[in-house]
Amino acid sequence: AQKVTQAQTEISVVEKEDVTLDCVYETRDTTYYLFWYKQPPSGELVFLIRRNSFDEQNEISGRYSWNFQKSTSSFNFTITASQVVDSAVYFCAHSMNRDDKIIFGKGTRLHILP
Amino acid sequence: EPEVTQTPSHQVTQMGQEVILRCVPISNHLYFYWYRQILGQKVEFLVSFYNNEISEKSEIFDDQFSVERPDGSNFTLKIRSTKLEDSAMYFCASTDGPDSPLHFGNGTRLTVT
């Protein structure tokens, strides 16, 4: 069965610090997709990244980076030099190959303190 | 950039009333979804829809729920007789294929009183 675990319920860091959000997934499939979504206080879901199981290359997009490790079934998300605008709930999610239903983790609420 | 549009942004209804939540997916998309998020909780899958029929539905999507694509642009979620526990944010999403990411609308906050 698919499962996504975000062990950190809530994190607070001071602005400009780096912060890593953890995500561990469970799947029996060899082909699958992993996602991160951001939900700011306004409530919408903002797509950040999608990664398929065959691509273990880490990705960097500005201050955001993602570390995909199949050996530990983890897909962690790091924000470098955090800013107050990064304050949001971040959801890690998973979908199986050719089954496009996305299963979300419970989310990590990130507070960036000025 | 095209986006998924949901209306209304907030709907208040009385318990037992029928409610219809509306969504306009991105125009060339073929796969449509509804998700629900009870306040402070995770986003939960309700139903997926492709080729004018339900592809998959979750346990939450019981007989009180239905979906419809009444024309070429709208995708609706109907709750026949709302309960207090239906109060949540409902997100519509669409994609042009299983290999593409989901695009979510901004959500409709449903409050059942």
Side-chain angles (χ1 to χ4, degrees), chain A residues 11 13 17-21 77-82 110 112:
Chain A
I11 301 175
V13 300
E17 288 185 357
D18 300 346
V19 59
T20 295
L21 309 182
F77 172 32
T78 297
I79 302 174
T80 304
S82 59
L110 178 63
I112 308 298

Side-chain angles (χ1 to χ4, degrees), chain B residues 34-98:
Chain B
W34 284 99
Y35 284 78
R36 179 183 84 173
Q37 185 183 29
I38 294 171
L39 186 64
Q41 298 187 24
K42 69 176 181 180
V43 180
E44 301 173 291
F45 169 77
L46 289 178
V47 66
S48 57
F49 190 87
Y50 170 70
N51 201 25
N52 284 319
E53 60 182 27
I54 291 174
S55 310
E56 186 174 357
K57 57 185 181 180
S58 71
E59 292 174 354
I60 302 167
F61 195 88
D62 61 23
D63 292 343
Q64 294 297 316
F65 291 88
S66 62
V67 290
E68 198 175 42
R69 188 154 162 81
D71 53 43
S73 59
N74 289 287
F75 179 51
T76 61
L77 173 70
K78 182 193 290 187
I79 308 175
R80 186 160 47 233
S81 176
T82 49
K83 303 187 282 277
L84 293 176
E85 52 265 39
D86 294 326
S87 295
M89 180 77 92
Y90 288 82
F91 290 101
C92 174
S94 70
T95 178
D96 58 6

Side-chain angles (χ1 to χ4, degrees), chain A residues 9-26:
Chain A
T9 306
E10 202 157 345
I11 301 175
S12 295
V13 300
V14 177
E15 199 174 16
K16 298 182 184 166
E17 288 185 357
D18 300 346
V19 59
T20 295
L21 309 182
D22 298 333
C23 174
V24 174
Y25 63 92
E26 291 178 31

Side-chain angles (χ1 to χ4, degrees), chain A residues 4 33 35 37 39 42-45 47 50 89 91 95 97-107 109, chain B residues 31 33 35 37 40-45 48 56 89 91 95 97-106 109:
Chain A
V4 176
Y33 296 92
F35 307 79
Y37 282 86
Q39 188 174 43
S42 47
E44 70 271 24
L45 285 167
F47 169 79
R50 184 182 71 146
V89 180
F91 291 98
S95 71
N97 181 41
R98 306 308 292 181
D99 176 353
D100 40 1
K101 173 184 70 179
I102 288 182
I103 301 298
F104 285 82
K106 292 185 176 180
R109 183 175 297 278
Chain B
Y31 298 79
Y33 308 81
Y35 284 78
Q37 185 183 29
Q41 298 187 24
K42 69 176 181 180
V43 180
E44 301 173 291
F45 169 77
S48 57
E56 186 174 357
M89 180 77 92
F91 290 101
T95 178
D99 293 327
S100 300
L102 282 186
H103 294 262
F104 283 87
N106 286 344
R109 182 169 297 285

Side-chain angles (χ1 to χ4, degrees), chain A residues 12-94:
Chain A
S12 295
V13 300
V14 177
E15 199 174 16
K16 298 182 184 166
E17 288 185 357
D18 300 346
V19 59
T20 295
L21 309 182
D22 298 333
C23 174
V24 174
Y25 63 92
E26 291 178 31
T27 183
R28 286 187 293 232
D29 297 283
T30 54
T31 306
Y32 50 87
Y33 296 92
L34 298 168
F35 307 79
W36 277 94
Y37 282 86
K38 174 182 179 180
Q39 188 174 43
S42 47
E44 70 271 24
L45 285 167
V46 179
F47 169 79
L48 295 178
I49 190 171
R50 184 182 71 146
R51 183 54 102 216
N52 77 51
S53 52
F54 296 113
D55 184 1
E56 275 193 85
Q57 266 193 317
N58 290 333
E59 175 142 346
I60 298 175
S61 176
R63 295 184 296 107
Y64 294 171
S65 62
W66 290 270
N67 183 2
F68 177 25
Q69 301 256 355
K70 285 177 81 168
S71 60
T72 55
S73 298
S74 64
F75 186 44
N76 296 338
F77 172 32
T78 297
I79 302 174
T80 304
S82 59
Q83 299 175 1
V84 172
V85 294
D86 296 327
S87 297
V89 180
Y90 291 85
F91 291 98
C92 181
H94 168 281

